[in-house]
């Protein structure tokens, strides 16, 4: 007998995790956070997610062959995001569905994502978006909500392919060209405008007018998701133009008002 019934008809197996709780204030999830497992093998990743005492879990795990394992019911608060924030919320676990994608990650060679695995991620996300009324711009990576700590799912993750299927927010990145840049140590009104634009999109960034280490980490996370051709944490014309295009293409209710 199953520990619980799967929330999706495309779930292949249920491996229940004891690592979950109740969503704060009965919060209904309206965000999806995508991760990679960042471990050498499937068995180790599933063991970590489903063993008491590890204090980590996810609602779903997508294997390289496209099979999907559910570990926590969608109604429960899985422990996948850690210290994180988005659009002014800092309890991301309470407002999101967490999906772990089997991939060794940056510490173990960081392979490409197989096409059938990505197809499964798309199908799973589309179902969640429909059930939970998740807007496309709230399908995010772990590095978006925790830019100082995380790199996953990484620059090889094909966000554009997901967006072509209605999953996630995407614009064609502006080309990388020579020109003026904002970089570590710069103090200016232009830096403040950049920080305000990143905050309007949802990133947790200090509004100081100084291009400090925290701002550089957020810019790098932005590039990893939306402009992966160059990951240097420097706000060049390509980065700034891509950010403005994303903001312009958000639905009216999709922007977050930045405040100090």
């Amino acid at each position: 007998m199953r520990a619980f019934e799967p929330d999706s008809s495309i779930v292949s197996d249920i491996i229940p995790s004891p690592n979950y709780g109740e969503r704060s204030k009965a919060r209904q999830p309206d965000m999806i956070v995508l991760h990679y497992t960042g471990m050498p093998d499937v068995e180790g990743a599933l063991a970590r997610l489903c063993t008491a005492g590890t204090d980590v879990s996810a609602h779903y795990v997508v294997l390289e062959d496209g099979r999907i394992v559910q570990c926590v019911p969608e109604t429960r608060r899985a422990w996948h995001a850690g210290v994180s924030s988005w659009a002014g919320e800092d309890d991301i676990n309470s407002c999101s569905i967490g999906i772990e994608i089997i991939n060794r990650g940056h510490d173990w060679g960081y392979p490409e994502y197989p096409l059938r695995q990505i197809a499964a991620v798309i199908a799973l996300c589309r179902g969640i978006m429909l059930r939970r009324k998740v807007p496309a711009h709230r399908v995010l990576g772990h590095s978006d909500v925790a830019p100082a700590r995380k790199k996953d799912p990484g620059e090889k993750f094909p966000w554009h392919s997901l967006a072509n299927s209605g999953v996630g927010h995407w614009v064609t990145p502006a080309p990388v060209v020579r020109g003026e840049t904002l970089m570590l140590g710069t103090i200016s009104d232009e830096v403040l405008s950049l920080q305000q634009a990143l905050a309007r999109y949802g990133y947790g960034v200090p509004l100081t007018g100084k291009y400090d280490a925290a701002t550089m980490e957020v810019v790098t996370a932005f590039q990893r998701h939306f402009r992966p051709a160059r990951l240097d944490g420097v706000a060049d014309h390509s980065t700034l133009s891509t950010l403005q295009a994303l903001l312009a293409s958000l639905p009216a209710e999709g922007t977050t008002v930045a405040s100090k």
Side-chain angles (χ1 to χ4, degrees):
M1 183 176 179
R2 287 174 166 172
F4 59 87
E5 289 300 310
D7 288 291
S8 170
S9 62
I10 61 174
V11 167
S12 304
D13 196 9
I14 289 178
I15 303 178
S17 173
N19 304 325
Y20 66 87
E22 299 301 319
R23 295 185 183 275
S24 177
K25 300 178 182 177
R27 179 75 157 83
Q28 294 301 304
D30 62 356
M31 177 190 295
I32 297 171
V33 179
L34 302 180
H35 309 249
Y36 63 41
T37 50
M39 296 184 70
D41 55 61
V42 177
E43 294 77 16
L46 285 171
R48 184 164 185 267
L49 291 166
C50 298
T51 299
T54 61
D55 293 337
V56 65
S57 63
H59 295 91
Y60 297 98
V61 182
V62 181
L63 279 59
E64 291 168 307
D65 62 5
R67 287 179 295 151
I68 298 170
V69 176
Q70 186 166 3
C71 303
V72 176
E74 288 183 7
T75 54
R76 300 295 189 258
R77 180 182 183 272
W79 304 339
H80 60 96
V83 178
S84 52
S85 68
W86 188 260
E89 293 189 271
D90 58 11
D91 184 1
I92 299 303
N93 284 336
S94 280
C95 67
S96 66
I97 301 291
I99 300 174
E100 289 278 0
I101 304 164
I102 295 294
N103 185 290
R104 295 194 300 275
H106 291 83
D107 291 342
W108 299 93
Y110 193 30
E112 300 285 343
Y113 291 90
L115 291 178
R116 56 188 172 182
Q117 185 181 45
I118 294 303
V121 171
I122 289 171
L124 178 61
C125 286
R126 283 173 62 93
I128 295 169
M129 292 171 72
L130 183 63
R131 283 193 300 280
R132 302 293 175 184
K133 297 180 173 56
V134 176
H137 63 273
R138 285 177 69 83
V139 180
L140 302 165
H142 200 186
S143 58
D144 293 312
V145 300
R149 301 187 301 111
K150 296 297 180 179
K151 298 179 180 179
D152 57 312
E155 62 276 7
K156 291 183 180 180
F157 190 73
W159 289 105
H160 60 285
S161 296
L162 271 70
N164 287 340
S165 296
V167 178
H169 187 209
W170 181 261
V171 297
T172 301
V176 178
V177 296
R178 292 180 179 272
E180 295 294 322
T181 61
L182 302 174
M183 62 182 67
L184 192 64
T186 304
I187 301 174
S188 67
D189 290 341
E190 288 77 14
V191 173
L192 179 59
S193 294
L194 164 66
Q195 292 168 335
Q196 290 171 332
L198 288 165
R200 282 200 303 276
Y201 196 77
Y203 286 95
V205 60
L207 307 183
T208 61
K210 180 178 180 180
Y211 208 110
D212 53 11
T215 301
M216 186 174 181
E217 288 167 344
V218 171
V219 170
T220 303
F222 174 85
Q223 292 171 338
R224 199 179 298 280
H225 185 152
F226 295 107
R227 206 289 307 271
R230 181 187 293 172
L231 308 178
D232 56 8
V234 173
D236 58 0
H237 173 78
S238 169
T239 302
L240 297 171
S241 296
T242 303
L243 173 57
Q244 291 302 324
L246 284 162
L247 286 169
S249 62
L250 278 174
E253 69 276 12
T255 56
T256 301
V257 177
S259 60
K260 292 187 179 180

